[in-house]
Amino acid sequence: MPAEVAATRDGGEPVWVFAYGSLLWDAQICDAAAEPALLRGYHRSFCLYSYDYRGTPANPGLTLGLDRGGSCRGAALRLPAEALDRVWEREMSGRPVYGARLLPVRTAKGVRRALAFTALRSCPDYAGTLSLDEAARRILTGAGRRGTCRDYFENTLQHLEQLGFADRPLRRLAERVQALAEHARV
């Protein structure tokens, strides 16, 4: 863990983490206080291949990352300092696909400095911008040790909508996943 990130934990103050995907609904995290938040400079994207959790080497699934450009609505999670190690282990223990960055997020209570896990474009797992059909196919067919990519996708989309976060690109992707599922009768 970089010293700048560890200092947030070691300072004894609550730690803020920007949640934009499964951290919004993870059972270990969901009891955290949350504030709707906006992160500028990054957008939510299924831009990372998953060869283990949501796919296999033979049939990679996709997972979310914060990719450069645009903005992202999510939640600033206020965690007790000791919870940072658990989040760090969850997000940073596998192959290096994220950069951990302390970034400003805007909430109704002002700007917070929150830990955000951004996609590393230089890693081999970076899928970049796939076509809508390719992304939908990988989401529909990917499955790994943490379950199916489709369940991960639908759970994330459901929680975003429950929180009132409209994500048009994910909604278009959901429509394409559904169309492919109907065509394949999955």
Side-chain angles (χ1 to χ4, degrees):
M1 181 180 301
E4 182 183 33
V5 174
T8 64
R9 174 197 62 206
D10 300 338
E13 296 293 318
V15 176
W16 292 94
V17 174
F18 182 70
Y20 59 92
S22 61
L23 280 177
L24 293 168
W25 49 268
D26 183 288
Q28 292 182 345
I29 308 298
C30 65
D31 61 341
E35 297 176 17
L38 175 66
L39 173 64
R40 295 195 186 280
Y42 294 88
H43 66 282
R44 179 185 300 105
S45 176
F46 275 89
C47 63
L48 296 167
Y49 289 116
S50 176
Y51 300 102
D52 183 16
Y53 291 157
R54 305 290 174 184
T56 64
N59 186 31
L62 292 174
T63 58
L64 283 169
L66 286 171
D67 208 355
R68 290 188 302 225
S71 62
C72 181
R73 293 204 177 276
L77 304 179
R78 183 177 187 246
L79 302 175
E82 63 274 6
L84 179 58
D85 289 328
R86 192 170 62 240
V87 171
W88 188 266
E89 178 68 23
R90 179 190 187 279
E91 298 298 318
M92 302 295 281
S93 64
R95 293 165 56 127
V97 298
Y98 296 117
R101 308 179 83 182
L102 291 167
L103 298 172
V105 297
R106 179 159 301 282
T107 72
K109 296 179 182 176
V111 175
R112 305 245 185 244
R113 195 164 164 239
L115 180 62
F117 296 98
T118 61
L120 291 176
R121 288 183 167 197
S122 61
C123 81
D125 296 4
Y126 180 70
T129 304
L130 299 174
S131 72
L132 193 61
D133 282 347
E134 178 65 11
R137 186 185 68 72
R138 292 206 175 273
I139 288 168
L140 187 61
T141 63
R145 68 181 170 102
R146 283 199 180 166
T148 70
C149 193
R150 187 175 183 188
D151 285 345
Y152 165 76
F153 173 76
E154 290 175 352
N155 205 355
T156 300
L157 188 60
Q158 175 188 4
H159 280 82
L160 289 170
E161 290 174 349
Q162 286 173 352
L163 293 168
F165 300 144
D167 190 311
R168 282 179 265 159
L170 285 192
R171 176 52 43 212
R172 280 192 299 277
L173 184 54
E175 291 167 1
R176 191 65 193 132
V177 168
Q178 183 62 37
L180 287 177
E182 288 172 6
H183 179 74
R185 296 185 184 169
V186 177

